[in-house]
Amino acid sequence: MLVLALDTSTPAVTAGVVRDGRELAVYTDTDGRKHGELLMPGVQAACREAGVTLKDLDAVVVGAGPGPFTGLRVGMVTAAALGDALGIPVHGVCSLDAIAATVVAAGTLTGNLLVATDARRREVYWAAYEAEGLRLTGPSVESPAALAERLPGLGLVAAAGTMVEQFGLPVRGPATPTPAGLVATADLAADRTAVPGPLEPLYLRRPDAVPPGERKAVS
């Protein structure tokens, strides 16, 4: 099964082509201010390197966050547009799950794993996982100090993500979702005929922008 995997939930812009769980090509750029400009060129570059065309794809998998609103919607809208244009299914997965899946696949965990990424506003997105990859808790968003208070009760032996250096745990890669991790999280091999549900972004908090209130009458 040939799958295009996308993620824009972190400053990294990631696109990759995966066949039956093996990465054929990966494009990554870490300029978090240019998700919109970089993603489709990245998709085209990954397809060229893999020697495939968009018409060859069987499915698209996209990281659904949690992530900042502007960057996250770039990946999800692009995935939805490609799926619609190509007539193929689009599967949204938790981006933190995808990071955990890659760590678990390395087979070196002996206990629970923390995954944490930058939520801005001096906060982190995080979730905890068993050594086999099952999510224990999360995803959630809170300050690093609040998260640090929770760590002693989670049985953690390692951490992965862009915001884990401060928690005193051994750090494992990757820091951002990989194409193989995204596809593994979607678990397409379990049922290739499964129809994915609607794409739902994991923002975990309300956007800054709100509709303007009713204008006050001028006396």
Side-chain angles (χ1 to χ4, degrees), residues 4 12 26 28 46 52 76 92 103-104 113 121 141 145 170 172 180 202 207 211 217:
L4 175 68
V26 178
T28 303
V52 302
M76 299 195 72
V103 176
V104 170
L113 173 73
R121 305 185 197 174
V141 57
R172 306 289 177 86
L202 293 168

Side-chain angles (χ1 to χ4, degrees), residues 39-209:
L39 183 57
M40 272 310 299
V43 168
Q44 294 167 335
C47 286
R48 283 196 302 270
E49 183 179 340
V52 302
T53 68
L54 291 175
K55 292 182 179 180
D56 297 324
L57 298 172
D58 297 306
V60 179
V61 174
V62 61
F69 179 79
T70 302
L72 184 57
R73 67 179 178 177
V74 169
M76 299 195 72
V77 169
T78 300
L82 287 171
D84 184 62
L86 299 170
I88 57 178
V90 180
H91 302 261
V93 300
C94 175
S95 301
L96 302 180
D97 291 359
I99 295 174
T102 305
V103 176
V104 170
T108 59
L109 280 179
T110 58
N112 297 340
L113 173 73
L114 170 70
V115 177
T117 59
D118 190 2
R120 302 178 184 174
R121 305 185 197 174
R122 300 181 180 179
E123 293 182 321
V124 295
Y125 298 119
W126 70 277
Y129 301 83
E130 293 182 347
E132 295 77 19
L134 179 67
R135 194 194 307 159
L136 290 170
T137 185
S140 303
V141 57
E142 59 189 341
S143 70
L147 174 55
E149 292 180 357
R150 299 181 186 272
L151 299 188
L154 294 176
L156 301 169
V157 300
T162 59
M163 296 292 288
V164 294
E165 298 285 350
Q166 59 196 301
F167 296 117
L169 293 163
V171 176
R172 306 289 177 86
T176 59
T178 66
L182 291 160
V183 174
T185 302
D187 197 18
L188 303 184
D191 185 358
R192 298 192 178 194
T193 65
V195 177
L199 291 178
E200 296 183 358
L202 293 168
Y203 296 130
L204 300 189
R205 61 189 179 200
R206 299 177 64 85
D208 292 330

